[in-house]
Amino acid sequence: MRKFNCIILSLFIVTLTKCAAQQTLAFKTILDATKTSNTPSKFTKFIEPYGFCFVEEKEMPTFTYYTHFKCGTSDIGTEGIRVNFSVSNDGSLNSSFLTRNEGMVSGFKKELEEFKFIETQENVDLSRQNAKWYTSDNYPEILVLWEYNLDENNRKVWHIGFVWNTPQN
């Protein structure tokens, strides 16, 4: 019985250690990534400790984006999250979250308020439906897009975008 208890205790410690080692991706994570991530590879290295793996590079007419999912997954489902990093043809950088997880979105919204982001209508694309734009004096180099769209099954999908390093024309 003593040997069995030792085995159970060992498994519990290993599980606890693994859970503690894996960090949680937060709104602040991307704010922090903007300070050091000026290339796709730096961004990937930054979010790897949060359990994300690079999945796809896709070239679009005006930008190239790099998709990351939780390692071992390739879809957001109802609980997951996709994280993108993109480089626009004009050199601007941005990243975004895409999720259907309302709980996660609520947490991101609290952080948005915590870091004193306020809604703005200056220098933004007001034609996007269901979208709001935010700025903060604490992060003057970042513009945050907060929007939702409906997927093919009429479910909300939130898109939270972070735009930084926008070249001045």
Side-chain angles (χ1 to χ4, degrees):
M1 184 71 169
R2 184 172 183 203
K3 188 175 184 180
F4 178 74
N5 287 343
C6 288
I7 292 171
I8 295 297
L9 182 60
S10 296
L11 289 173
F12 177 74
I13 291 171
V14 168
T15 302
L16 190 60
T17 303
K18 281 186 175 184
C19 290
Q22 194 164 52
Q23 302 175 31
T24 302
L25 187 73
F27 184 88
K28 177 83 164 79
T29 307
I30 302 302
L31 292 177
D32 291 343
T34 64
K35 295 175 185 174
T36 58
S37 300
N38 58 1
T39 66
S41 61
K42 285 183 182 178
F43 186 83
T44 296
K45 284 184 182 176
F46 191 91
I47 66 169
E48 280 177 348
Y50 299 89
F52 284 82
C53 293
F54 171 75
V55 174
E56 174 187 34
E57 175 182 336
K58 188 165 185 177
E59 199 165 321
M60 304 298 282
T62 59
F63 63 93
T64 302
Y65 70 88
Y66 305 83
T67 300
H68 303 78
F69 284 100
K70 278 291 198 176
C71 297
T73 65
S74 61
D75 185 19
I76 62 172
T78 57
E79 295 296 316
I81 187 168
R82 182 175 90 190
V83 180
N84 292 321
F85 178 84
S86 70
V87 180
S88 297
N89 294 347
D90 70 359
S92 62
L93 305 175
N94 72 68
S95 59
S96 64
F97 297 136
L98 191 69
T99 188
R100 288 187 190 101
N101 186 327
E102 289 188 51
M104 189 179 292
V105 171
S106 294
F108 293 159
K109 187 70 166 184
K110 286 178 185 172
E111 285 185 88
L112 181 81
E113 294 164 0
E114 177 184 329
F115 295 108
K116 301 191 182 343
F117 278 86
I118 57 169
E119 191 174 343
T120 185
Q121 293 189 354
E122 294 180 29
N123 304 314
V124 296
D125 177 3
L126 296 175
S127 68
R128 294 179 86 131
Q129 238 181 350
N130 306 317
K132 293 183 179 182
W133 294 87
Y134 296 88
T135 60
S136 172
D137 289 341
N138 295 333
Y139 296 90
E141 69 283 3
I142 299 173
L143 183 64
V144 175
L145 165 66
W146 195 283
E147 69 179 336
Y148 72 88
N149 298 297
L150 297 177
D151 68 9
E152 64 279 355
N153 296 317
N154 214 28
R155 296 175 297 182
K156 276 187 180 178
V157 178
W158 282 271
H159 173 237
I160 303 166
F162 301 78
V163 181
W164 73 91
N165 187 34
T166 303
Q168 300 299 315
N169 294 332

